[in-house]
Amino acid sequence: CLTLKAKMQITITNKLSKAADMDHHWVSKTWLSDVGLPQYSQVFHNQLVDGRVLNSITRRDLETIFNVTNKFHVTSILSAIQLLQMLNFDKEARRAQCENRDLDPVVWTSHRVIKWIRDIDLKEYADSLQNSGIHGAVMVLDPTFSADTMAKALDIPSNKHMIHRHLYEEMKVLLNPARCVKLHFSRVISILYNLRGTSKCSILIGQ
């Protein structure tokens, strides 16, 4: 029977192995495009950011080394990294099953979010999300992300009250179930933290 320490080491090894599969070309081109921030592709490429580097990037790194000065863009990138950590760096996990179904929005790319905006009859605003940094993980994991955040990114005029209401209702249907899962996940983290301590907890849950 494997000891807890051995299980922890296996989890760490598997995660780093998958992170190592993400080379800096993939991160700078594909990953940043999926995040909706391709404008940072060159700086990430120049810094040779691969999956292992992503795993250790901090807010301060983004602001000082990568010159990401837009606060929402910083939050967007950190949320996307958090998602990779939650999925143990399995970059394709769960995406195929929700490509044409409005399920599991936390794994949606920015392209999938734009498709959803078009599908809910807001296609005239959809192109405003290009290079905005709005993707599924930031929508679900960032507690400050709201219908107002989305409306602002879509550049919906403030006097379009019916459209704002429509967007609010559609986002509620999409995000509330996903955020409930996140809340449950957070409670599990809290319980494990209290029982076992921070380091063991973070490894056990694949963070």
Side-chain angles (χ1 to χ4, degrees), residues 11 25 30 82 101 139 161 189 194 198:
T11 301
H25 297 290
T30 304
Q82 183 182 352
R101 302 174 65 192
M139 291 168 64
H161 303 299
I189 293 173
N194 291 330
T198 306

Side-chain angles (χ1 to χ4, degrees), residues 86-129:
M86 289 168 60
L87 299 177
N88 285 328
F89 285 82
D90 184 348
K91 57 189 178 184
E92 299 301 330
R94 295 163 29 191
R95 280 187 175 165
Q97 65 197 45
C98 60
E99 189 59 36
N100 294 300
R101 302 174 65 192
D102 293 343
L103 302 171
D104 206 10
V106 72
V107 300
W108 286 10
T109 65
S110 64
H111 315 294
R112 180 64 180 86
V113 173
I114 290 172
K115 178 183 182 299
W116 175 74
I117 289 294
R118 292 192 175 111
D119 289 345
I120 62 171
D121 298 322
L122 295 176
K123 59 183 178 181
E124 64 188 283
Y125 302 103
D127 287 343
S128 297
L129 291 189

Side-chain angles (χ1 to χ4, degrees), residues 50-184:
D50 60 11
R52 290 167 297 186
V53 175
L54 274 183
N55 192 41
S56 62
I57 283 180
T58 65
R59 180 177 296 273
R60 182 176 177 81
D61 293 335
L62 291 173
E63 294 171 346
T64 59
I65 299 174
F66 297 91
N67 295 316
V68 183
T69 57
N70 182 300
K71 290 185 178 180
F72 180 76
H73 290 178
V74 171
T75 299
S76 172
I77 293 170
L78 292 176
S79 295
I81 293 171
Q82 183 182 352
L83 176 65
L84 285 176
Q85 293 168 338
M86 289 168 60
L87 299 177
N88 285 328
F89 285 82
D90 184 348
K91 57 189 178 184
E92 299 301 330
R94 295 163 29 191
R95 280 187 175 165
Q97 65 197 45
C98 60
E99 189 59 36
N100 294 300
R101 302 174 65 192
D102 293 343
L103 302 171
D104 206 10
V106 72
V107 300
W108 286 10
T109 65
S110 64
H111 315 294
R112 180 64 180 86
V113 173
I114 290 172
K115 178 183 182 299
W116 175 74
I117 289 294
R118 292 192 175 111
D119 289 345
I120 62 171
D121 298 322
L122 295 176
K123 59 183 178 181
E124 64 188 283
Y125 302 103
D127 287 343
S128 297
L129 291 189
Q130 299 286 349
N131 302 342
S132 68
I134 292 181
H135 52 87
V138 74
M139 291 168 64
V140 174
L141 301 177
D142 177 13
T144 68
F145 193 94
S146 66
D148 287 339
T149 309
M150 181 68 87
K152 184 177 180 180
L154 290 169
D155 202 22
I156 299 174
S158 58
N159 63 345
K160 300 285 187 179
H161 303 299
M162 293 296 292
I163 294 177
H164 279 268
R165 183 66 186 178
H166 172 65
L167 176 62
Y168 169 80
E169 293 296 338
E170 291 289 347
M171 285 187 62
K172 183 170 68 172
V173 170
L174 179 69
L175 296 183
N176 279 4
R179 285 180 167 175
C180 284
V181 171
K182 178 204 167 198
L183 179 61
H184 175 73

Side-chain angles (χ1 to χ4, degrees), residues 42-57:
Q42 192 60 56
V43 66
F44 271 66
H45 189 273
N46 291 345
Q47 294 291 339
L48 302 178
V49 178
D50 60 11
R52 290 167 297 186
V53 175
L54 274 183
N55 192 41
S56 62
I57 283 180

